[in-house]
Amino acid sequence: MTGAAKTLVENFERERKTLPGASGWLDVSRAKALAAFAEAGLPHRRVEEWKYTDLRRLLDDVSLTTAPDHLGPVDLPATAFEAMDCYKLVLVNGRFRADLSSLAKLPKGVELHPLANVLSEQWAKKLIDRQSDHDGATRIIDLNTALMRDGMALRIRKGVRLDKPLHLVFLAADDGGAHARHLVELEEGASATIFQSHLAAGASSYFVDQVSDIHLGADARLEMVRLVDEGAKSFHLSSLRAELEAGADFGCFTLTMGGQMQRQQSFVRFNGEGAVARVNGASALRGRQMADTFCHTDHAVPACASDTLYRTVLDGSATGTFQGKVVVQPDAQKTDGRQMTNALLLSREASMNAKPELEIYADDVQCAHGSTIGELNKDAIFYLRARGLNERDARRLLVTAFLDEALDRIAHDGARDALRAVVANWFSAEGAAT
Amino acid sequence: MVAIRETVQTVGEVEKYKYGFSTDIESDKAPLGLTEDTVRFISAKKNEPEWMLEWRLEAYRRWLTMEEPTWAKVEYPKIDFQDAYYYAAPKQTVAPKSLDEIDPKLLETYKKLGIPLIEQQMLAGIAVDAVFDSVSVVTTFKEKLKEVGVIFCPLSEAVRDHPDLVRKYLGSVVPTSDNFYATLNAAVFSEGSFVYIPEGVRCPMELSTYFRINERQTGQFERTLIIADKGSYVSYLEGCTAPQRDENQLHAAVVELVAHDDAEIKYSTVQNWYPGDEDGKGGIYNFVTKRGDCRGVNSKISWTQVETGSAITWKYPSCILRGDNSRGEFYSIAISNGHQQVDSGTKMIHLGKNTSSRIISKGISAGKSSNTYRGLVGVHRKAENVRNFTQCDSLLIGSHCSAHTVPYIESKNPGAILEHEATTSKISDEQLFYCRQRGMDEEEAVALIVNGFCRDVLQQLPMEFAVEAQKLVGISLEGSVG
Amino acid sequence: MLEVKNLHVTVGDKEILRGIDLKIDAGEVHAIMGPNGSGKSTLSYILSGRDGYEVTEGSITFKGQDLLAMSIDERANAGVFLAFQYPIEIPGVTTMNFLKTALNAQRKARGEEELDAVRFLKLVRSKAKPLNISDDMLKRALNVGFSGGEKKRAETLQMSLLEPQLAILDETDSGLDIDALKVVADGVNALRSPERSMIVITHYQRLLDYIVPDVVHVLSGGRIVKTGGKELAQELEQTGYAEFGADAA
């Protein structure tokens, strides 16, 4: 076992007694998950799904010992979603801070709690204990199951609509590891919008390990907009598992900006016909940043639609990776599966890897994927300069337009504008970082 | 209506693999299994010089330390490498000096396969090297080629007659350590073709090798080496068949191409090894390493393949684009039916400046088969101004087959423009109805539509092959509808 | 030539044709007119054997044979030709190749020898010329990127080449301007002969100014509600289908 994996296992041994749910079913699940993690170790380059992101090597660079409870004051950084009226749930170092959150006047039928409060409930157990296909990518969830300490648990009852967005703020105040688990259960016809902000608030070397377990009942609707803007020496690992019943509609957009290294995985599975999933994102990276997006869509039943667009802009010596996989199971006829990834390389040292896979076992389907990697169109730059823009402004205009096409997929108007502003700021910081 | 369909199917079964006969001919075999002695036996049979034996033994020793690759999307029972023969040759007391001395049974075999070896009967302009199990039976038009300086002969002959060329190039594109099957091949390869086109020569005719596995329980391990010197051009065709047998037979070939400055090699394959019966019994395991090295500036290597046979195909004809301005192309049709499993594609490694590549892959799956495209486009840091276009289209016929696309796209240079597109579709009922309304039966209609789907690739084949390939497309899909 | 008796056809659970009787003799041109949804296209599909249409009652006899017992291609080979309202695109298959495959399939079925490339080319060119179909168009993939007019001309070329005994023209005028319509109509008229029968399916009378029918039937609600001479079409132009109670199915 490598040093990093060892540290993580030791964390468990030390904390086991104090982790939430220590006396119940979860303790058994945790022990099982840890044993599995200890056996497999951290994923590395020779595990196909981690070909471009070697956790065994990369996690050596960040502090993994569990970060302390941070009870004192925190410098709350301004978040992109601040201007909108939202419910707000704040986690510091992965732990719920009631004093910083504002959860008053939730509509009837909306249950929102810190994770520890729901661990005795059946719906929570069902979500946590859910088995993923044990392929190379989902196995890392075991680490989270063993070590998760807190998180957000949201359940919305049948037909209820969350009247305003819920903003989940995840702050890193101290160095070390934070393992959080979020549970979202939307019953039939329920709907919600969730914003997520991941920000550094004082920590420098840290590891965020977050798993979101989502279940959408028939005709339920969930819109997620995530901003991942971690600190400069962090590793952000997040896995999102969503299962959709018939007619459900799931949208998820992730903008990745800050952070040294990130690996973001999504696993969407269709359980009922007529469901739709739109999993999109954009990254703008520079310096020595790395971002690896792994996007898996499982069409297990007929007549569902999935659509994915990821756009990546790479400057400095940043490395971007997109791995996508659309699986159409036997009998999942009338599937519509689309996946597109585009990348722009702005500098000589930047690299991009793409692996858009299709795995198809049914014949009456429409599946397409595409991938392009290239640089800014020189003719377009020339054209803009001939109209009087300087080189920097011309590039900025073209890059913004490139990212905007991905941001356009955000259904929530306010969130879309907010993330546009974040992208615009990325350029202002340009001089500073390069 | 039902009766008609049954008749069509029966005819289809009979026609399905028309190369499934075997030739009853006495043969000379190495002892069963693979040991260092087997390697020595093969080398001795070929009267090889010491350096060649050493080369083989080194590969053999390395092979013992290697493990079979498992990353491909194919499933098969573990191969017992000790339960096969690694050398089989038709018994003939003295080497044939001319066609008159060749066993008539062999000539008959090739005639049945549609490859007449008597020069007068041949299609004008194609020279053939016919390989039967582990040895080359005959190479036609050798003399005529010699006039322009082209060397076209069995590899074993080249080892003896052109040792300097062989030593210089053998293993220089696919090293003996490359992968499990290539290393195995290096240890036990018994035959193959050798081609050398001298500087400035445009090879006056198509060169062609025809591979035939005949013996039971025998693996075929041919090795082909083609060198196009500066400013030369050659078009090379490869065909393969095997008898219908219940057991699985191993075919692990290696092909190495070297293109120097301004040279061009066009390599076309029609692979029609026995695919096994409709229950998936028998058939060839085809594990092949093919790689071309565009070593010189402005060089070009183009792979075209029509893959219809084999129980398992594991094959990635690749180009190393080393020379500036060099170009690699890969055009592929892979058809799988019955229980066939195909995992094939290409690698385009861009090292030089202004290098370009084009990949057009058409996968057609029918029956209970599985068809995977696996490819890599890699751009190195110093490869300026690279262009790649990739298109992978899959067509599914029936609901029990599967199609997969696994592309790897890796760019380390901002000046590279890489485009990848993939689609999956099926033959629409409307298209079938339209064709049948014009009088075609269902299989004819499917063959027509599939040929249309493959057109971009079929166009790349030399004329004589294109017609054959089109028919093969139809035959391979028989029994896939209705 | 063709005799349809008490034909009832359902699609899914819905009865589209509700007792059609139709008798067409050799050399006759019958027009079938009717409002949208009256079952006109269903009739063309049931004659050519398309899947998804179930005959619940009745019979169709073609040249003494039970047409309903024949497969799609058997019918085509027996001489039933459908000129499609929306011809299908077949990517990668050139028009030329398609024509050759279809013609030789039919020749083979009739026990005739297949045409070689040279004779075939000559034949196609002679048939293509009057329809203003260039060699260039013949080299393009069948119907792919063809304009509306080109598609209908290509259909007419196929009819001319395959020389069917019964040609069914399904809304051949749709999407054509007057000049294109004339070219197509001239092509069709050139094919009229004492041995060949035609069914012209149309919503509008306009086409029948150019392809003049012997008999006109009005189809409404899945039944033939009126039969008359060519003047019936003109009458309809004046009055519309209202009097037949467009109780379209």
Side-chain angles (χ1 to χ4, degrees):
Chain A
M1 212 184 297
T2 58
K6 219 182 221 157
T7 307
L8 292 163
V9 170
E10 283 165 8
N11 285 350
F12 176 75
E13 281 158 3
R14 200 171 43 245
E15 296 165 21
R16 182 168 181 178
K17 293 274 172 331
T18 63
L19 288 167
S23 55
W25 61 273
L26 186 55
D27 187 55
V28 181
S29 296
R30 285 185 193 276
K32 244 166 69 185
L34 189 93
F37 169 74
E39 199 194 320
L42 285 164
H44 49 90
R45 248 177 334 118
R46 288 186 310 282
V47 177
E48 178 63 23
E49 292 78 1
W50 298 82
K51 188 174 158 64
Y52 301 104
T53 302
D54 191 331
L55 275 195
R56 215 170 254 193
R57 198 166 51 79
L58 295 170
L59 279 186
D60 277 343
D61 296 346
V62 294
S63 169
L64 295 174
T65 311
T66 306
D69 280 350
H70 189 103
L71 302 172
V74 184
D75 287 333
L76 277 180
T79 70
F81 306 107
E82 212 64 62
M84 283 174 280
D85 182 21
C86 302
Y87 299 107
K88 192 155 146 190
L89 190 150
V90 178
L91 299 171
V92 178
N93 295 352
R95 244 69 50 89
F96 176 60
R97 282 281 298 261
D99 56 325
L100 302 175
S101 305
S102 47
L103 298 171
K105 293 184 193 146
L106 284 164
K108 195 163 172 286
V110 176
E111 301 161 20
L112 181 59
H113 302 282
L115 181 74
N117 292 12
V118 301
L119 286 174
S120 59
E121 292 182 33
Q122 200 53 35
W123 70 273
K125 178 177 191 308
K126 222 171 126 187
L127 277 177
I128 292 170
D129 261 0
R130 193 166 44 173
Q131 292 301 311
S132 306
D133 297 332
H134 257 254
D135 68 355
T138 48
R139 191 170 289 152
I140 191 67
I141 292 173
D142 284 336
L143 175 67
N144 185 278
T145 304
L147 287 170
M148 63 187 181
R149 187 168 274 272
D150 212 341
M152 170 197 81
L154 171 69
R155 176 159 64 157
I156 303 186
R157 298 303 189 142
K158 188 171 168 181
V160 174
R161 177 175 161 270
L162 185 60
D163 56 342
K164 53 187 186 184
L166 165 63
H167 186 188
L168 175 62
V169 184
F170 200 118
L171 299 174
D174 299 280
D175 286 5
H179 305 268
R181 186 76 153 234
H182 309 306
L183 307 178
V184 178
E185 169 76 52
L186 299 195
E187 293 184 358
E188 187 181 334
S191 73
T193 298
I194 299 177
F195 302 149
Q196 267 187 44
S197 300
H198 287 270
L199 303 162
S204 66
S205 171
Y206 64 96
F207 173 47
V208 173
D209 160 32
Q210 167 189 273
V211 173
S212 304
D213 278 321
I214 297 168
H215 180 253
L216 301 188
D219 300 314
R221 188 183 165 89
L222 176 63
E223 201 66 39
M224 287 179 77
V225 183
R226 306 174 62 234
L227 171 62
V228 179
D229 196 3
E230 301 280 12
K233 266 198 77 185
S234 61
F235 194 110
H236 175 100
L237 167 67
S238 71
S239 304
L240 181 153
R241 295 190 289 184
E243 286 192 23
L244 279 61
E245 303 303 330
D249 186 318
F250 177 56
C252 181
F253 187 95
T254 303
L255 176 64
T256 306
M257 307 286 298
Q260 180 57 38
M261 296 169 279
Q262 24 264 318
R263 161 84 173 195
Q264 305 190 55
Q265 319 191 98
S266 67
F267 308 90
V268 173
R269 187 186 148 92
F270 293 105
N271 286 343
E273 296 188 18
V276 176
R278 298 162 279 112
V279 179
N280 302 303
S283 325
L285 309 172
R286 62 161 67 92
R288 300 177 55 80
Q289 283 181 277
M290 298 172 58
D292 181 342
T293 297
F294 187 98
C295 182
H296 186 279
T297 312
D298 184 356
H299 285 266
V301 295
C304 292
S306 62
D307 196 357
T308 290
L309 172 67
Y310 257 89
R311 292 224 156 149
T312 307
V313 173
L314 298 154
D315 205 346
S317 51
T319 303
T321 297
F322 176 85
Q323 300 184 75
K325 189 168 188 177
V326 176
V327 181
V328 180
Q329 304 282 5
D331 306 325
Q333 305 292 5
K334 308 285 177 200
T335 286
D336 189 339
R338 284 163 208 287
Q339 205 167 67
M340 175 54 108
T341 172
N342 312 105
L344 272 184
L345 272 56
L346 301 181
S347 91
R348 297 211 50 82
E349 281 74 41
S351 329
M352 178 71 197
N353 307 304
K355 188 186 170 204
E357 275 185 76
L358 292 174
E359 192 170 319
I360 297 177
Y361 299 91
D363 62 337
D364 190 8
V365 301
Q366 284 204 350
C367 286
H369 69 204
S371 167
T372 63
I373 303 176
E375 61 182 339
L376 282 174
N377 184 330
K378 290 194 176 91
D379 295 340
I381 292 175
F382 173 74
Y383 182 87
L384 291 172
R385 296 192 66 187
R387 293 287 172 275
L389 274 75
N390 64 31
E391 165 117 24
R392 194 184 132 96
D393 287 347
R395 289 166 67 91
R396 180 179 174 146
L397 187 71
L398 293 171
V399 170
T400 310
F402 174 81
L403 291 173
D404 272 354
E405 281 181 9
L407 293 168
D408 279 347
R409 300 223 172 173
I410 302 171
H412 191 282
D413 294 339
R416 188 169 56 244
D417 292 344
L419 293 194
R420 283 221 168 109
V422 173
V423 168
N425 278 334
W426 186 71
F427 288 96
S428 314
E430 193 171 18
T434 51
Chain B
M1 196 163 161
V2 175
I4 291 170
R5 190 166 288 166
E6 272 174 10
T7 313
V8 167
Q9 259 171 13
T10 314
V11 174
E13 298 307 327
V14 174
E15 271 234 297
K16 203 175 282 170
Y17 195 73
K18 62 176 177 177
Y19 310 106
F21 64 90
S22 66
T23 308
D24 190 10
I25 193 160
E26 212 184 331
S27 84
D28 195 4
K29 276 195 253 182
L32 188 70
L34 179 54
T35 63
E36 217 169 282
D37 288 342
T38 321
V39 178
R40 288 178 192 282
F41 175 94
I42 294 168
S43 188
K45 276 281 168 197
K46 301 275 171 193
N47 291 322
E48 284 176 355
E50 191 60 25
W51 62 265
M52 193 70 244
L53 175 63
E54 277 311 315
W55 195 82
R56 287 176 180 278
L57 287 173
E58 194 198 312
Y60 173 71
R61 287 172 200 136
R62 185 183 284 271
W63 179 74
L64 290 176
T65 68
M66 294 169 91
E67 276 176 38
E68 275 182 81
T70 53
W71 43 260
K73 209 172 167 55
V74 293
E75 276 172 39
Y76 54 94
K78 196 146 178 57
I79 298 172
D80 182 355
F81 289 92
Q82 296 305 336
D83 191 32
Y85 292 99
Y86 288 82
Y87 180 86
K91 213 170 219 168
Q92 198 151 27
T93 39
V94 280
K97 291 215 169 43
S98 75
L99 283 166
D100 306 340
E101 290 176 22
I102 290 176
D103 191 325
K105 271 189 196 161
L106 277 178
L107 290 181
E108 187 57 30
T109 303
Y110 282 91
K111 205 171 149 195
K112 265 203 227 168
L113 296 170
I115 315 284
L117 297 178
I118 313 292
E119 293 188 4
Q120 296 88 312
Q121 295 176 356
M122 293 191 47
L123 289 163
I126 301 184
V128 179
D129 185 14
V131 176
F132 194 84
D133 290 332
S134 305
V135 293
S136 170
V137 186
V138 64
T139 309
T140 60
F141 286 114
K142 248 159 114 174
E143 291 308 309
K144 192 165 174 211
L145 289 167
K146 215 170 167 181
E147 284 169 27
V148 289
V150 171
I151 304 170
F152 179 39
C153 65
L155 185 58
S156 52
E157 204 176 302
V159 170
R160 291 195 302 272
D161 300 347
H162 309 281
D164 293 346
L165 282 174
V166 176
R167 283 187 90 157
K168 183 170 172 194
Y169 290 105
L170 191 70
S172 75
V173 185
V174 179
T176 53
S177 56
D178 195 80
N179 68 68
F180 183 83
Y181 297 107
T183 307
L184 173 63
N185 174 286
V188 302
F189 80 88
S190 42
E191 203 45 281
S193 297
F194 176 82
V195 175
Y196 175 78
I197 316 289
E199 192 170 334
V201 171
R202 196 180 164 85
C203 188
M205 59 182 76
E206 307 266 356
L207 303 185
S208 163
T209 300
Y210 195 86
F211 295 102
R212 170 79 178 167
I213 298 178
N214 187 63
E215 254 325 298
R216 189 173 288 279
Q217 228 182 322
T218 301
Q220 178 148 330
F221 306 91
E222 82 269 6
R223 191 162 186 118
T224 298
L225 177 58
I226 299 177
I227 302 130
D229 218 326
K230 288 178 185 165
S232 67
Y233 168 84
V234 62
S235 168
Y236 180 91
L237 320 173
E238 175 199 270
C240 336
T241 59
Q244 222 154 326
R245 298 205 189 278
D246 287 348
E247 74 213 41
N248 294 107
Q249 284 174 287
L250 181 64
H251 172 250
V254 171
V255 175
E256 296 180 277
L257 311 182
V258 179
H260 287 287
D261 292 358
D262 302 304
E264 179 176 350
I265 302 174
K266 198 170 154 67
Y267 192 106
S268 312
T269 307
V270 173
Q271 185 265 106
N272 189 22
W273 297 116
Y274 177 55
D277 68 12
E278 54 266 47
D279 301 319
K281 203 167 161 55
I284 301 291
Y285 289 166
N286 192 32
F287 298 102
V288 173
T289 305
K290 290 183 166 176
R291 195 172 303 152
D293 189 355
C294 284
R295 219 164 268 188
V297 298
N298 301 319
S299 56
K300 179 177 170 187
I301 289 178
S302 173
W303 298 99
T304 304
Q305 62 173 23
V306 179
E307 302 282 317
T308 62
S310 297
I312 292 173
T313 300
W314 181 101
K315 180 178 170 189
Y316 316 90
S318 305
C319 296
I320 300 168
L321 302 163
R322 201 185 302 274
D324 290 349
N325 309 323
S326 61
R327 178 168 174 85
E329 292 176 342
F330 176 74
Y331 297 98
S332 171
I333 298 171
I335 301 180
S336 55
N337 199 352
H339 290 257
Q340 283 177 272
Q341 303 175 62
V342 180
D343 194 301
S344 184
T346 185
K347 286 189 239 178
M348 293 289 172
I349 314 290
H350 291 264
L351 303 176
K353 295 189 179 77
N354 303 317
T355 49
S356 62
S357 59
R358 183 179 170 85
I359 299 170
I360 308 285
S361 164
K362 305 278 181 177
I364 298 116
S365 5
K368 292 180 175 149
S369 69
S370 152
N371 201 323
T372 302
Y373 167 84
R374 187 183 302 277
L376 167 70
V377 175
V379 180
H380 282 238
R381 191 72 74 200
K382 288 182 178 150
E384 301 295 334
N385 218 11
V386 164
R387 296 288 176 272
N388 162 265
F389 176 76
T390 300
Q391 190 177 338
C392 300
D393 296 326
S394 306
L395 189 69
L396 292 105
I397 303 176
S399 53
H400 299 292
C401 54
S402 60
H404 317 294
T405 316
V406 191
Y408 296 79
I409 306 152
E410 304 176 358
S411 176
K412 288 189 161 55
N413 187 299
I417 299 181
L418 315 179
E419 288 173 81
H420 172 100
E421 288 173 13
T423 64
T424 299
S425 56
K426 68 165 198 163
I427 295 178
S428 75
D429 292 342
E430 284 79 15
Q431 285 176 334
L432 269 183
F433 174 62
Y434 189 87
C435 292
R436 295 190 64 197
Q437 209 299 309
R438 295 300 182 254
M440 297 167 217
D441 66 32
E442 211 161 344
E443 306 214 323
E444 226 172 335
V446 168
L448 182 84
I449 295 167
V450 171
N451 268 305
F453 174 76
C454 298
R455 188 155 181 262
D456 298 345
V457 176
L458 288 169
Q459 278 174 337
Q460 299 297 327
L461 286 169
M463 194 60 132
E464 302 80 1
F465 254 33
V467 178
E468 203 53 40
Q470 260 180 46
K471 281 190 203 144
L472 200 54
V473 167
I475 291 169
S476 310
L477 289 170
E478 266 166 21
S480 65
V481 288
Chain C
M1 174 84 62
L2 180 77
E3 192 163 10
V4 179
K5 278 187 188 157
N6 189 33
L7 186 70
H8 290 253
V9 175
T10 57
V11 177
D13 296 334
K14 208 166 168 186
E15 186 165 49
I16 307 289
L17 297 183
R18 298 191 261 180
I20 300 277
D21 288 286
L22 187 64
K23 190 166 179 295
I24 301 179
D25 288 326
E28 287 181 354
V29 174
H30 287 227
I32 295 189
M33 302 184 69
N36 292 331
S38 58
K40 301 193 300 287
S41 285
T42 299
L43 183 61
S44 73
Y45 287 141
I46 202 76
L47 287 170
S48 48
R50 189 179 182 137
D51 285 342
Y53 297 84
E54 198 191 343
V55 175
T56 50
E57 217 182 317
S59 67
I60 305 178
T61 326
F62 177 64
K63 293 193 297 181
Q65 283 177 285
D66 178 3
L67 193 70
L68 294 173
M70 295 158 77
S71 72
I72 305 165
D73 38 306
E74 284 173 312
R75 296 180 199 204
N77 291 329
V80 176
F81 179 92
L82 171 62
F84 287 68
Q85 181 179 4
Y86 303 109
I88 307 304
E89 300 185 357
I90 306 188
V93 177
T94 63
T95 307
M96 193 68 103
N97 182 17
F98 180 82
L99 293 173
K100 188 174 172 196
T101 310
L103 180 65
N104 281 334
Q106 296 210 10
R107 290 181 68 98
K108 206 162 75 188
R110 290 198 295 263
E112 296 165 12
E113 65 165 324
E114 296 181 22
L115 284 187
D116 61 42
V118 179
R119 282 165 61 204
F120 172 75
L121 193 63
K122 218 174 133 190
L123 179 67
V124 170
R125 283 194 176 137
S126 72
K127 304 267 188 190
K129 202 164 171 241
L131 289 163
N132 276 333
I133 293 177
S134 63
D135 274 15
D136 184 53
M137 185 172 150
L138 293 170
K139 281 182 200 149
R140 285 157 61 190
L142 184 69
N143 295 326
V144 178
F146 283 18
S147 69
E150 285 174 329
K151 280 184 181 167
K152 295 299 163 83
R153 278 188 281 143
E155 292 291 292
T156 313
L157 173 62
Q158 293 179 42
M159 182 161 82
S160 155
L161 196 68
L162 299 172
E163 301 183 313
Q165 308 230 305
L166 173 67
I168 305 154
L169 280 61
D170 190 2
E171 305 275 3
T172 292
D173 52 333
S174 71
L176 294 187
D177 62 31
I178 197 74
D179 295 323
L181 180 64
K182 275 184 194 160
V183 174
V184 170
D186 287 349
V188 172
N189 285 328
L191 291 168
R192 289 180 79 150
S193 88
E195 293 82 41
R196 183 169 296 134
S197 311
M198 292 186 188
I199 298 174
V200 182
I201 292 173
T202 182
H203 184 94
Y204 303 103
Q205 181 262 344
R206 183 177 79 146
L207 177 67
L208 304 180
D209 288 343
Y210 299 95
I211 303 172
V212 181
D214 302 306
V215 183
V216 175
H217 307 277
V218 178
L219 188 65
S220 182
R223 287 193 190 89
I224 288 177
V225 290
K226 193 165 187 184
T227 296
K230 60 186 175 213
E231 61 291 340
L232 177 56
Q234 274 134 25
E235 217 174 281
L236 277 170
E237 182 77 357
Q238 306 295 322
T239 59
Y241 294 108
E243 66 164 297
F244 302 108
D247 61 329

